[in-house]
Amino acid sequence: MKLKIISMFLLLIPVLASAQVVTLTPAFATENDSIVITVNIKLATNKSLVGYTGDLYTHTGVKTTVDDWQHVIGNWGVNSVQPKLKRIGTDLYELVIGKPRKFYNVTSPTEKILQLNFVFRSADATKQTENIYATIYEPGLNLTILSPQSFPFFADLNDTITVKAVGSNSTNIYLYLDNSLINQTIDDTLSYNIIANEYGKKWIKIVAQDNGGETKADSFYYVVNPLVPIQALPAGIVDGINYISNTSVTLSLYAPNKKFVYIIGDFNDWQIEPSYYMNMTPDHSRYWITINNLTPQQEYAFQYYVDGEIKIQDPYSEKILDPWNDQYILSSTYPNLKPYPIVGKTEGIVGVLQTAQAPYQWQVTNYTRPENTDLVVYELLLRDFVATHDYKTLKDTLSYLKRLGINAIELMPVSEFEGNESWGYNSMMHMAPDKYYGPKNDLKAFIDAAHQNGIAVILDVVLNHTYGLNPLVRLYWNAQLNRPAANNPWFNQVSPNPVYSWGSDFNHQSTATQYYVDRVTSFWLNEYKVDGYRFDFTKGFTNTPGDGSARDNSRIAILKRMADKIWQVDSKAYVILEHFADNSEEIELTNYGMMVWGNSNYNYSEASMGYNDGNKSDFTWGSYKARSFQKPGLVTYMESHDEERLMFKNIKFGNINGSYTIKDTSQALNRIKLNAAFFLTIPGPKMIWQFEELGYDYSIDYNGRVGNKPIRWDYQIQPRRQKLYKVMEALIKLRDNEAFRSSNYFTSFGGAVKSIHINNSSMNVTVIGNFDVINRSINPSFQSTGNWYDYFSGASVNVSDPQATISLQPGEFHIYTSVQLPTPETDILNDVDDQRDVTIKNFALEQNYPNPFNPVTNISYMIKQPSNVTLKIYNLVGEEIKNLVDANQNVGKYQVTWNGKDNYGGDVSSGIYLYRLTAASSGKIFTDAKKLVFLK
């Protein structure tokens, strides 16, 4: 294309480009050239690889005329496949590409390579750069700027700026300053020194011209900053985003020892503009600015550009955009997600602000939380609980959880973490819900609905550490040592705990960290009406060297200060600590009103498997009284996200005696019932891990420890597992009685036969059980003579001798109460084989689950007498889409799966469909239909 030189300048679109991390030889490499890549790691935005001395690999592909990131070589992290670079100096590497069409296996003659894409990473994949790009040129006239290497370029007054440019096939190169010609050559190379003798922003444009008059142009700007304006922070402004009106916002960034800060974003096309130069407070600790004339309710992406070196999102952002991971979030999960800014305008994570947001209309404003001692917490990881991994579907499971009887849900971390699929402990942002789970109002709607169902919501929060994309980490980072800088206000350079250390370690003695922690904890209480927190690894909230197990008075003070601030906002909020520290410390913290996790997984798993040597199966430490706690502050659990599943260990390692084998699924499930009877009846708060109530039997290490686990909602219709659910339900309901709030209880948990005795004015309770694989006898030690009642059978037992022994078969247990209670469903303690017919009283078609779904959904139905059964999918105009069942079936409960395919194996479109069950028997026809939603 031929253009006049002056018109070319007017058409230029300025962009913010990163430093030249990779250089190509030849400089104007085409897709047909043999190319050598030189990599300067020091110029990368992510400095984690600076100083790295191990092997360096690259995840690489190309941008072509088809799309970006095409023809990627190998799979991420597979070192045997992905290219390895050659070290040629400190932080310098070389990669021989050769001819890119061959290197990347681009075979279609119509597909052109436009760009090479790279992410460089360490051999163990713990360190990596951002996405880095290198242009592939068309043959002919081209131009590239060699110096300066980063744009925009910041200079001090009267600095000399060396501008170097080279053209291919060029006969003239012209240099313009603010559209005025200041230099030209009749060669293919230009070098010129500019004196930056004025404050402000200056545009440099370079134009190359060939013999035919065709031109190529490029441009950049440099900035000479004036003195930073010193102005006090306006009254009422806090760090972060402050909405002043429907059209204005004030931003405040705590950044002591930084030289200057600009705001870049959608509102200024991501350019450095003098009007977005931030003020500094008189104490030089904060930068702030008020931005006016914003469009109400419009989302604006933005960043702080600090010292001309670091671009970060606001640390208090309630929403961020991620250039690497947002593209994989389905529109069904997060509709109308704002796209990341156009590539080339900025890089890295950006924050989002939006004035005039419509507030969520809470339906429940007077929710009363369960008392600490009554808590039965259900811990879940949203990703592995519902296939859609979104709050909307999670809300649909509340009836299931309410029926179980739990009264609190603990969500594993849902604030923005690095990547999409994660347990959430690789935290990045602490006030932004992770978009992989849906929009913020969907989370609020879930909490609202939980409260409507009498269920509290507790957030798992990670404030011991965070990772490299956190803006507080990046703002003060020592690239050479690959750790927080010595002057980082929030983080220790290294963790004082060498045994347990992840990411960057928060310094909880720092007032900056304490301010940040208090902002985070008050935010979720106020904005989302959460009911409290489970704090991850609180034994790390200290600067005392060691593994954190010893009593630490400084840590006690830190945690009390944090709890006090929480209770100033909400006096009834739960504060639960994953602590595992010295018992005297946990006594003091629970006396103060906090709760601590009580890990009894090992003991319950040994008992469940039938191993009772020594103290292996002793549950004593699961009782808050045994720990000398004065308050019921011990949240005991048999399973958590961090522990192996009891059912897996039962089946894998269960004890055997003759025909009695715990490896058998039936007995394995019965042993979980036995465990539950000696878990849920101990007074004090309890926690259940997701699907524990159904006997989930996949190992914690299935698909890797933190990898995705199978979501087995179909366990609900397996009679054996359904009975376990009903036993857990009955035991949780039993806890409604005042007796289970009593502190007057005694346990005997040593050996194979165990007992619990609870004394209360409302009712006495005696629990006995045999954890062996042989028959055992036990002295029940009833508290009194007279009538006692077996909770699960309803049978009355007249006790004339409280010490008379009772013989128990392996796995047998009884819960006796001095007051007769409503009897749970009969026969739920006895196992039913999966293949046996259960009592079916009616024909029934159940709602599919999950719904909406992608990629598969389950449809369950019941047949009460032998019938000819059809189950078909129809579209809304009545056309048959898929015939799922057409068979004669006996009495029973059935489940089928639909994968969104039609009768010919093709994919159906997103939309609403009907599924219809027809059962014909003895001249009568039962039919029912329900709607389902398929979302691609």
Side-chain angles (χ1 to χ4, degrees):
M1 177 174 65
K2 295 184 179 180
L3 292 172
K4 298 293 185 182
I5 291 175
I6 189 68
S7 63
M8 171 65 78
F9 176 69
L10 294 174
L11 288 172
L12 287 175
I13 300 175
V15 298
L16 288 173
S18 59
Q20 199 167 342
V21 182
V22 297
T23 55
L24 277 59
T25 304
F28 298 101
T30 72
E31 64 177 12
N32 297 312
D33 288 326
S34 184
I35 303 172
V36 176
I37 307 291
T38 303
V39 182
N40 185 346
I41 289 297
K42 288 183 179 178
L43 297 179
T45 299
N46 185 333
K47 304 292 185 183
S48 63
L49 281 165
V50 174
Y52 171 70
T53 58
D55 291 337
L56 190 73
Y57 293 83
T58 182
H59 180 71
T60 182
V62 290
K63 180 179 181 180
T64 73
T65 48
V66 172
D67 204 350
D68 202 3
W69 280 101
Q70 300 295 294
H71 305 284
V72 174
I73 297 176
N75 296 316
W76 175 251
V78 182
N79 293 344
S80 61
V81 176
Q82 294 190 318
K84 179 180 176 181
L85 283 78
K86 176 183 176 182
R87 184 186 304 279
I88 58 175
T90 303
D91 296 321
L92 292 174
Y93 299 85
E94 183 179 274
L95 176 65
V96 177
I97 294 289
K99 295 187 177 182
R101 293 190 69 87
K102 181 178 180 181
F103 188 81
Y104 292 99
N105 194 30
V106 183
T107 58
S108 171
T110 61
E111 184 177 11
K112 287 186 168 293
I113 298 176
L114 307 176
Q115 176 180 279
L116 308 183
N117 300 342
F118 302 96
V119 177
F120 301 103
R121 59 170 184 77
S122 59
D124 62 2
T126 61
K127 306 174 180 67
Q128 69 182 58
T129 66
E130 67 279 8
N131 288 358
I132 292 169
Y133 310 105
T135 300
I136 294 297
Y137 294 89
E138 288 287 322
L141 178 64
N142 288 292
L143 173 70
T144 188
I145 299 173
L146 302 178
S147 176
Q149 288 195 337
S150 60
F151 312 124
F153 186 80
F154 290 91
D156 292 329
L157 189 65
N158 295 321
D159 274 357
T160 298
I161 302 173
T162 299
V163 179
K164 290 184 179 180
V166 62
S168 64
N169 296 336
S170 64
T171 57
N172 296 283
I173 300 181
Y174 303 89
L175 176 65
Y176 294 83
L177 174 64
D178 279 348
N179 214 24
S180 296
L181 182 65
I182 61 172
N183 188 253
Q184 69 182 81
T185 72
I186 54 173
D187 198 357
D188 61 0
T189 303
L190 177 144
S191 181
Y192 186 79
N193 291 332
I194 295 176
I195 306 300
N197 56 7
E198 292 182 58
Y199 292 117
K201 176 179 176 181
K202 299 289 183 180
W203 274 98
I204 301 294
K205 179 191 67 169
I206 304 169
V207 180
Q209 185 180 46
D210 66 11
N211 282 327
E214 185 176 356
T215 62
K216 284 288 178 72
D218 203 351
S219 67
F220 70 93
Y221 58 85
Y222 71 84
V223 178
V224 178
N225 292 323
L227 294 176
V228 177
I230 305 297
Q231 292 191 36
L233 195 67
I237 297 301
V238 296
D239 289 346
I241 305 168
N242 299 261
Y243 295 107
I244 306 304
S245 71
N246 287 344
T247 58
S248 63
V249 64
T250 296
L251 306 174
S252 174
L253 177 69
Y254 182 69
N257 302 314
K258 296 300 179 182
K259 297 174 184 177
F260 64 90
V261 183
Y262 281 91
I263 295 290
I264 57 174
D266 291 337
F267 33 72
N268 60 14
D269 200 29
W270 300 92
Q271 301 299 301
I272 299 298
E273 298 291 352
S275 58
Y276 291 88
Y277 193 44
M278 297 186 76
N279 306 298
M280 180 192 288
T281 56
D283 64 359
H284 292 200
S285 68
R286 285 174 169 82
Y287 289 86
W288 68 273
I289 190 172
T290 296
I291 302 173
N292 297 308
N293 301 317
L294 299 171
T295 301
Q297 297 186 337
Q298 178 175 321
E299 289 188 317
Y300 293 89
F302 75 101
Q303 289 173 315
Y304 299 108
Y305 200 169
V306 182
D307 288 351
E309 299 174 348
I310 307 166
K311 299 171 192 170
I312 60 167
Q313 68 275 30
D314 190 289
Y316 300 92
S317 296
E318 297 176 29
K319 181 177 180 179
I320 60 162
L321 302 179
D322 181 329
W324 308 290
N325 297 292
D326 284 1
Q327 59 189 306
Y328 303 111
I329 297 175
L330 299 174
S331 59
S332 57
T333 300
Y334 199 114
N336 304 312
L337 176 59
K338 178 179 172 65
Y340 187 82
I342 296 172
V343 173
K345 289 197 172 186
T346 193
E347 58 196 2
I349 305 294
V350 303
V352 176
L353 63 83
Q354 182 185 22
T355 65
Q357 297 181 52
Y360 176 81
Q361 299 299 313
W362 292 93
Q363 302 302 304
V364 178
T365 57
N366 58 348
Y367 173 64
T368 301
R369 300 175 184 126
E371 296 295 327
N372 289 7
T373 191
D374 296 336
L375 277 176
V376 180
V377 181
Y378 194 89
E379 185 190 20
L380 66 86
L381 171 61
L382 185 49
R383 182 199 71 185
D384 290 348
F385 193 61
V386 291
T388 55
H389 57 75
D390 61 35
Y391 302 116
K392 292 181 295 185
T393 309
L394 182 62
K395 187 171 71 170
D396 293 340
T397 70
L398 286 172
S399 59
Y400 168 88
L401 296 172
K402 183 179 182 180
R403 192 165 65 251
L404 178 62
I406 61 96
N407 53 22
I409 294 170
E410 180 183 305
L411 296 176
M412 284 176 68
V414 297
S415 61
E416 280 280 3
F417 42 79
E418 299 193 2
N420 280 338
E421 293 194 1
S422 170
W423 276 10
Y425 297 107
N426 54 333
S427 58
M428 184 211 313
M429 305 294 296
H430 289 98
M431 288 170 52
D434 199 290
K435 302 184 299 300
Y436 189 67
Y437 295 151
K440 67 177 185 179
N441 279 354
D442 285 359
L443 174 55
K444 291 180 179 179
F446 163 73
I447 295 170
D448 209 5
H451 289 168
Q452 286 176 311
N453 284 277
I455 298 173
V457 178
I458 299 168
L459 292 189
D460 195 343
V461 178
V462 187
L463 288 170
N464 171 72
H465 59 273
T466 189
Y467 281 82
L469 293 177
N470 178 275
L472 305 181
V473 172
R474 294 192 59 232
L475 196 53
Y476 299 86
W477 183 255
N478 185 327
Q480 284 68 41
L481 297 178
N482 193 35
R483 68 189 192 194
N487 65 340
N488 191 304
W490 299 277
F491 296 93
N492 292 311
Q493 293 183 74
V494 294
S495 170
N497 185 334
V499 179
Y500 305 106
S501 180
W502 305 272
S504 295
D505 184 70
F506 272 111
N507 173 9
H508 282 272
Q509 291 182 339
S510 162
T511 55
T513 297
Q514 291 171 3
Y515 174 88
Y516 181 74
V517 167
D518 296 343
R519 285 286 305 279
V520 170
T521 56
S522 63
F523 170 76
W524 292 98
L525 292 170
N526 286 324
E527 183 68 21
Y528 285 82
K529 298 189 183 300
V530 300
D531 300 290
Y533 302 101
R534 177 267 188 187
F535 290 101
D536 184 64
F537 197 67
T538 51
K539 71 191 299 180
F541 286 27
T542 179
N543 286 345
T544 302
D547 68 0
S549 296
R551 181 182 172 88
D552 186 340
N553 289 328
S554 66
R555 178 172 58 203
I556 294 171
I558 286 168
L559 292 169
K560 285 183 175 179
R561 188 213 67 79
M562 181 184 73
D564 284 340
K565 290 293 185 179
I566 290 171
W567 291 328
Q568 284 177 16
V569 177
D570 187 334
S571 62
K572 297 293 186 180
Y574 305 121
V575 178
I576 304 173
L577 313 177
E578 186 202 24
H579 210 54
F580 306 133
D582 181 82
N583 193 57
S584 69
E585 182 171 335
E586 296 200 344
I587 290 172
E588 184 166 346
L589 293 170
T590 54
N591 282 345
Y592 203 70
M594 292 175 254
M595 290 179 277
V596 296
W597 261 22
N599 182 1
S600 292
N601 174 263
Y602 172 80
N603 308 91
Y604 278 103
S605 65
E606 289 295 314
S608 188
M609 290 186 293
Y611 301 111
N612 299 282
D613 310 0
N615 295 320
K616 280 185 177 179
S617 68
D618 191 339
F619 309 150
T620 301
W621 212 236
S623 162
Y624 77 90
K625 277 184 59 179
R627 300 192 184 203
S628 300
F629 288 14
Q630 279 75 57
K631 293 184 178 180
L634 183 69
V635 184
T636 310
Y637 56 87
M638 299 190 293
E639 291 183 8
S640 75
H641 69 267
D642 257 340
E643 309 301 334
E644 186 57 276
R645 312 301 164 224
L646 269 60
M647 269 295 289
F648 172 79
K649 294 184 76 172
N650 282 357
I651 294 169
K652 181 85 172 173
F653 307 111
N655 203 352
I656 300 172
N657 180 50
S659 62
Y660 183 85
T661 171
I662 298 173
K663 293 179 185 289
D664 174 74
T665 301
S666 295
Q667 292 298 355
L669 288 164
N670 283 336
R671 299 293 292 208
I672 303 298
K673 298 172 189 174
L674 172 65
N675 266 16
F678 280 80
F679 168 65
L680 289 165
T681 56
I682 303 174
K686 299 290 177 282
M687 188 178 77
I688 298 169
W689 169 243
Q690 64 182 31
F691 298 129
E692 182 180 347
E693 73 283 2
L694 293 171
Y696 192 81
D697 50 16
Y698 289 83
S699 170
I700 191 174
D701 294 317
Y702 179 92
N703 192 30
R705 185 175 182 84
V706 299
N708 296 58
K709 302 297 187 287
I711 301 173
R712 296 300 304 270
W713 282 100
D714 59 302
Y715 279 176
Q716 289 185 89
I717 64 168
Q718 296 179 16
R720 292 182 293 186
R721 297 179 188 274
Q722 191 177 59
K723 287 196 171 187
L724 172 58
Y725 176 97
K726 291 178 178 178
V727 168
M728 298 278 274
E729 176 187 358
L731 289 168
I732 294 172
K733 178 146 187 79
L734 181 62
R735 288 172 56 92
D736 289 342
N737 191 282
E738 182 64 30
F740 294 92
R741 300 178 182 90
S742 174
S743 60
N744 185 10
Y745 68 90
F746 307 92
T747 63
S748 177
F749 286 154
V753 289
K754 306 179 190 298
S755 64
I756 301 172
H757 294 87
I758 301 173
N759 302 311
N760 187 261
S761 59
S762 66
M763 181 177 72
N764 292 334
V765 182
T766 293
V767 186
I768 57 174
N770 178 13
F771 286 83
D772 213 332
V773 293
I774 61 174
N775 289 357
R776 291 278 191 172
S777 294
I778 185 173
N779 178 349
S781 298
F782 286 108
Q783 293 95 316
S784 64
T785 59
N787 285 335
W788 286 77
Y789 303 93
D790 190 324
Y791 176 59
F792 277 100
S793 71
S796 173
V797 178
N798 185 269
V799 174
S800 58
D801 181 0
Q803 310 303 320
T805 60
I806 296 176
S807 178
L808 298 174
Q809 295 180 8
E812 184 180 357
F813 71 91
H814 295 275
I815 299 174
Y816 295 107
T817 62
S818 62
V819 174
Q820 188 160 25
L821 302 174
T823 306
E825 185 176 332
T826 59
D827 201 36
I828 57 176
L829 292 186
N830 298 321
D831 179 49
V832 177
D833 186 87
D834 281 337
Q835 304 306 314
R836 281 180 49 189
D837 293 337
V838 294
T839 301
I840 304 295
K841 297 180 180 179
N842 296 293
F843 289 103
L845 177 64
E846 297 181 2
Q847 185 65 51
N848 67 302
Y849 187 87
N851 187 38
F853 78 95
N854 181 8
V856 297
T857 190
N858 299 307
I859 301 172
S860 299
Y861 59 92
M862 290 185 290
I863 304 300
K864 78 170 185 177
Q865 60 192 52
S867 305
N868 179 261
V869 178
T870 62
L871 178 63
K872 297 183 179 183
I873 309 291
Y874 298 89
N875 62 22
L876 292 182
V877 296
E879 297 172 326
E880 180 183 314
I881 300 298
K882 181 68 174 179
N883 186 352
L884 294 173
V885 178
D886 189 354
N888 292 315
Q889 293 184 329
N890 291 321
V891 177
K893 188 166 186 177
Y894 296 87
Q895 182 184 67
V896 295
T897 299
W898 186 42
N899 60 1
K901 302 284 187 181
D902 61 23
N903 283 326
Y904 305 100
D907 293 322
V908 303
S909 303
S910 295
I912 300 173
Y913 294 86
L914 298 174
Y915 59 101
R916 181 181 298 277
L917 174 72
T918 302
S921 177
S922 302
K924 295 183 179 180
I925 297 178
F926 167 83
T927 186
D928 193 10
K930 295 185 183 298
K931 291 182 181 179
L932 57 74
V933 180
F934 178 54
L935 294 177
K936 287 189 176 179

